[in-house]
Amino acid sequence: MLGVRGMAKMQIMEGLYQVGGSLNGITWLGNDISYEDSNTYILETQEGLIMFDCGCGHSMEQIEKNMNEWGLSFANVKACFITHPHFDHAGGAYLLKEKGIRLLASEETADAVARGDERCCGYMYHEEFVPCKIDEKLKDGETITLCGYHFTCMHLPGHTNGCMVYCFEHKGKQIVVSGDVIGTLLDGYFGWNGSIDFDKQKYLKSLKRFSKYNSDMMLPGHGMIYFHSPRRRVEQAFNQALCQWR
């Protein structure tokens, strides 16, 4: 399962892959254990591939190579769900747009990506965010069907105002793609608090809501995947937020 560079060939389970992420070395942009590139996931279906987040853009060739090692091709990617507009998660969105891949995100993220403004946090990486249009704006509680799968959207603002998590069932498992709503096991409970629209009070409400959601697996925006009782980790984050922010 493991590739030459760390976990470059990571299959999470049958039909579900991690093909990007610089914190655990799946993509590499000049610095080890870095936040330059978010985790990128691929869901393989009988009707095509679904992507979740796309990294900063500079790693797109690496992502494609990692996909190819599993026999996956960009030509079969039907859509990409964006969790929020930060450069490390959505900087490569314009490259997907050029490939004709459908982009989906919350209304707030769609607006930020279209403008490429400070909400995209290019300044954090000394980069210019290349704006592009999101094809479909998603609402809280909405369920969208793609490639035979049903994806339920949960708007959880706080880390950014546009944070959206995506919930779906695969091989009998309830899976949630959480972006940066929950911090990594390596570095705290919360997503980075330096974004221009970070909001503690909204974050508290989001964590309270998320702490009631049961899943079998949580795919975070950076670092290691939560295979054991993801709700427990969300409850821990909610507890920390209550202690620190009230």
Side-chain angles (χ1 to χ4, degrees):
M1 180 181 294
L2 298 186
V4 175
R5 185 183 63 254
M7 296 185 291
K9 296 183 178 180
M10 185 170 179
Q11 184 179 37
I12 301 166
M13 59 184 293
E14 183 182 357
L16 186 63
Y17 307 85
Q18 184 178 349
V19 296
S22 59
L23 190 61
N24 46 11
I26 295 177
T27 48
W28 190 78
L29 294 164
N31 295 294
D32 296 319
I33 316 178
S34 78
Y35 285 88
E36 295 166 289
D37 217 23
S38 74
N39 291 352
T40 294
Y41 303 102
I42 294 287
L43 172 65
E44 184 179 20
T45 81
Q46 293 183 347
E47 299 177 24
L49 305 177
I50 304 294
M51 179 178 281
F52 299 90
D53 281 340
C54 56
C56 68
H58 300 312
S59 61
M60 199 63 74
E61 289 184 5
Q62 295 179 48
I63 289 172
E64 184 171 15
K65 181 180 178 181
N66 292 338
M67 290 172 59
N68 291 343
E69 289 177 355
W70 284 106
L72 309 173
S73 171
F74 261 118
N76 294 324
V77 177
K78 305 302 182 183
C80 179
F81 287 94
I82 304 295
T83 62
H84 62 290
H86 285 173
F87 183 80
D88 53 324
H89 292 259
Y94 78 99
L95 296 173
L96 300 186
K97 189 78 171 177
E98 291 175 356
K99 295 177 182 291
I101 295 171
R102 182 180 174 190
L103 302 176
L104 304 95
S106 69
E107 294 182 359
E108 294 83 355
T109 292
D111 183 68
V113 169
R115 297 174 186 271
D117 60 22
E118 290 84 359
R119 291 172 292 175
C120 300
C121 296
Y123 59 85
M124 176 66 179
Y125 302 93
H126 313 293
E127 297 273 5
E128 291 292 330
F129 188 96
V130 180
C132 66
K133 182 180 179 181
I134 298 294
D135 297 288
E136 187 159 354
K137 300 175 183 179
L138 305 173
K139 297 182 182 296
D140 179 47
E142 178 179 1
T143 297
I144 182 169
T145 301
L146 288 174
C147 297
Y149 278 70
H150 305 295
F151 301 92
T152 299
C153 307
M154 192 183 305
H155 182 215
L156 297 176
H159 172 65
T160 74
N161 203 40
C163 283
M164 187 82 85
V165 307
Y166 303 103
C167 313
F168 62 98
E169 182 178 341
H170 178 63
K171 304 292 183 182
K173 301 285 188 181
Q174 292 295 327
I175 298 171
V176 57
V177 181
S178 57
D180 287 354
V181 174
I182 299 297
T184 78
L185 287 169
L186 301 172
D187 188 16
Y189 292 97
F190 319 115
W192 174 61
N193 62 5
S195 54
I196 197 166
D197 53 350
F198 180 87
D199 189 305
K200 289 181 180 179
Q201 295 310 308
K202 289 182 179 179
Y203 213 151
L204 267 171
K205 292 179 182 178
S206 292
L207 289 171
K208 179 180 179 181
R209 179 185 178 193
F210 199 22
S211 70
K212 294 178 172 63
Y213 179 78
N214 286 309
S215 65
D216 298 303
M217 187 185 304
M218 184 163 63
L219 308 183
H222 298 274
M224 297 182 290
I225 294 164
Y226 299 91
F227 292 101
H228 179 70
S229 302
R231 179 175 173 176
R232 180 178 60 87
R233 177 63 173 172
V234 181
E235 289 172 339
Q236 289 174 333
F238 179 43
N239 179 63
Q240 287 297 315
L242 288 171
C243 292
Q244 294 179 29
W245 294 346
R246 283 192 303 174

